[in-house]
Amino acid sequence: MRVRVLTPLACLALLAGCFNPDDGSAADADTDLSTGPGSTSGAPTTDDPSVGTTGSGVDSLTSTTLESSTTDADTTSADETSGGPAESSGSSSGEPIPIECGDGIPAPGEVCFDDAAVLNAGDIGYSPRVGEVNGDGNVDLLYLYGDQIVVRLGAGDGTFGPELPDETLYCDTMELADVDGDDVLDHVCTVGYENILSVSLGNGTGSFMLQTPHTQVGDTPVEIAAGDLNGDGNADVATIHADTTGSRFVRISLSQGNGLFTISDTVSTGNLPGADVTLGDFTGDGVSDVAFTVAEGTNQVRIAVNDGDGDFGQALDVNAATSGAFGIAAGDFNGDEDDDLAVANAGSVLAILGTGIASFEKAVSLDVPEGAIANRVAVDDVTNDDLADIIAVYSNQAIVSVFPSNGDGTFGERVDVTIAAVSDSLSTGDVNDDGVPDLVIGSTSEELVTVVVSTP
């Protein structure tokens, strides 16, 4: 099954007929690798790499069939917008790139996914991340499983090799980033029960070495974001904390370049428990700032501006009416080179346009599937038009949704893909080397990882 969705404007611009699949229901929220809403037991899978794949061919396993549908997903419909990413598409000969899912040619305005597939059903696979870790140029998959980092080396075609476990601590969430400046991705995660950062340095062959001593960050770190915050070329981290007895804050820890970190700053959350944290440039100076959500209060979305050295000012409220903000991600939705925000806001997803001067326009609420509670968002260009789209998963429905950007701050029809289980983690990356990001989703409730592969 393939999902092929075009905005009405994209169809008109390219003189192509729109295809709006109505073959499915949305279910389970973790990248379309699931069987049905909340039903993962009995999903046929195998982790033997010698076994042939079916469906999407994502990993050495049997994929489950996803039903997908498109739904009106914005307060402003695609019909009401002017311009669109498809207008700028063209081949090297000057002819428009044809929009046809499965022809192998990524085209602006095209949203195509193959069947979702389930990885390791029956095992706990959470906080999945994708990145190239063994030097072969193919994107690999890592996820957490108890006290292990599980590494699955990618073949470059959407399949993965067997589990290669690496020692770590009992992590809550993780990021892949180069923390020691050797151009090899490392693994850094939060360990809430120890109040520390756990770091494992990559050696370039797909394995990692756990570092000691650990960096004490205190007060129950629950989420993490990684990026260079002081311009030294090493990835630093921002952690948000949800301690119920002491201070609540975002803590900035700068890399020493050797697997250790030095705490440089804290940003108050207003003594409210933290929910999620992300990095983005909200001032147009080329330096990453911090955005975060808190779990209580009326101003649940906030930013703190980086001075370029890893020091941050007082948190600023973002112009957004929230009713249960949780997941947050940053990216440029309208092509103005200023980072915007996507927020999982319980019964909606918020798109909040940045002005480039540490302020934001009024949030736009995007409709989610009926009754769905959005809990995680990611931002990536899944429509190949150089604009960030929004991807969301839900805590009570086994669905992953894509909100394609129209390029002017509005979004086209929501694309829903049924996955195997409700989700609590989401990542994107090009696992099949077709130039378009794919979706990888984790779930602790049903103990599996699912993958939805793009099929341009």
Side-chain angles (χ1 to χ4, degrees):
M1 182 279 296
R2 290 194 176 92
V3 181
R4 177 174 182 264
V5 179
L6 306 176
T7 63
L9 287 171
C11 298
L12 292 174
L14 296 178
L15 299 179
C18 282
F19 170 64
N20 201 7
D22 54 5
D23 61 332
S25 59
D28 254 8
D30 265 343
T31 48
D32 259 349
L33 301 176
S34 53
T35 53
S39 171
T40 56
S41 60
T45 65
T46 174
D47 288 321
D48 183 353
S50 66
V51 177
T53 62
T54 62
S56 67
V58 182
D59 198 354
S60 304
L61 45 81
T62 302
S63 69
T64 59
T65 300
L66 313 165
E67 296 298 329
S68 67
S69 62
T70 58
T71 314
D72 291 338
D74 199 342
T75 53
T76 304
S77 71
D79 292 328
E80 297 170 328
T81 62
S82 59
E87 294 178 356
S88 62
S89 65
S91 66
S92 58
S93 64
E95 294 297 323
I97 297 175
I99 295 181
E100 181 64 41
C101 289
D103 63 4
I105 304 174
E110 185 178 66
V111 181
C112 304
F113 292 110
D114 211 335
D115 295 346
V118 179
L119 240 59
N120 290 336
D123 290 345
I124 296 176
Y126 60 100
S127 197
R129 295 294 182 263
V130 290
E132 203 279 300
V133 300
N134 67 335
D136 65 356
N138 299 324
V139 173
D140 309 303
L141 169 65
L142 285 80
Y143 51 86
L144 298 174
Y145 173 50
D147 61 348
Q148 296 179 342
I149 312 165
V150 176
V151 182
R152 306 288 295 268
L153 298 179
D157 59 359
T159 65
F160 299 93
E163 295 181 356
L164 303 173
D166 263 76
E167 179 188 8
T168 186
L169 301 180
Y170 285 88
C171 297
D172 297 297
T173 186
M174 75 164 172
E175 289 294 341
L176 288 177
D178 180 11
V179 303
D180 58 354
D182 62 356
D183 296 324
V184 176
L185 289 177
D186 310 302
H187 167 288
V188 56
C189 71
T190 60
V191 185
Y193 72 95
E194 293 281 1
N195 297 325
I196 63 173
L197 296 178
S198 174
V199 179
S200 296
L201 297 181
N203 62 12
T205 66
S207 62
F208 297 78
M209 179 173 291
L210 182 65
Q211 302 297 294
T212 55
H214 307 293
T215 300
Q216 292 284 338
V217 292
D219 300 292
T220 318
V222 290
E223 297 292 341
I224 186 172
D228 187 1
L229 298 176
N230 62 351
D232 65 357
N234 300 319
D236 311 301
V237 298
T239 50
I240 193 165
H241 299 249
D243 183 60
T244 58
T245 60
S247 300
R248 287 103 174 243
F249 45 76
V250 175
R251 176 149 277 167
I252 308 301
S253 300
L254 300 180
S255 173
Q256 298 179 14
N258 58 1
L260 300 176
F261 289 82
T262 300
I263 295 173
S264 71
D265 201 3
T266 59
V267 178
S268 173
T269 64
N271 203 32
L272 295 172
D276 198 13
V277 62
T278 191
L279 305 180
D281 180 7
F282 308 118
T283 59
D285 61 359
V287 176
S288 290
D289 309 301
V290 170
F292 61 93
T293 55
V294 293
E296 300 172 6
T298 56
N299 298 310
Q300 296 177 318
V301 184
R302 302 172 188 179
I303 67 166
V305 175
N306 188 356
D307 69 357
D309 294 323
D311 293 320
F312 292 76
Q314 183 177 359
L316 306 172
D317 291 337
V318 172
N319 184 19
T322 53
S323 58
F326 189 67
I328 188 170
D332 184 6
F333 304 146
N334 58 353
D336 64 357
E337 299 183 359
D338 297 322
D339 273 345
D340 312 306
L341 289 173
V343 177
N345 186 43
S348 69
V349 169
L350 301 180
I352 313 172
L353 297 183
T355 64
I357 55 173
S359 64
F360 292 82
E361 297 180 12
K362 184 177 180 180
V364 174
S365 180
L366 308 180
D367 292 335
V368 300
E370 184 176 359
I373 300 175
N375 69 337
R376 293 289 179 180
V377 287
V379 170
D380 211 335
D381 180 17
V382 298
T383 55
N384 195 53
D385 55 8
D386 297 323
L387 297 168
D389 308 301
I390 299 175
I391 305 100
V393 292
Y394 309 96
S395 62
N396 64 337
Q397 293 190 26
I399 297 171
V400 60
S401 296
V402 175
F403 301 85
S405 173
N406 289 328
D408 59 358
T410 65
F411 293 80
E413 289 181 300
R414 187 187 76 239
V415 180
D416 293 333
V417 182
T418 302
I419 55 177
V422 296
S423 173
D424 48 28
S425 49
L426 171 66
S427 186
T428 64
D430 185 8
V431 302
N432 63 344
D433 199 27
D434 62 5
V436 183
D438 310 299
L439 313 178
V440 182
I441 300 156
S443 174
T444 55
S445 64
E446 296 291 344
E447 303 180 345
L448 52 82
V449 174
T450 56
V451 181
V452 180
V453 175
S454 63
T455 56

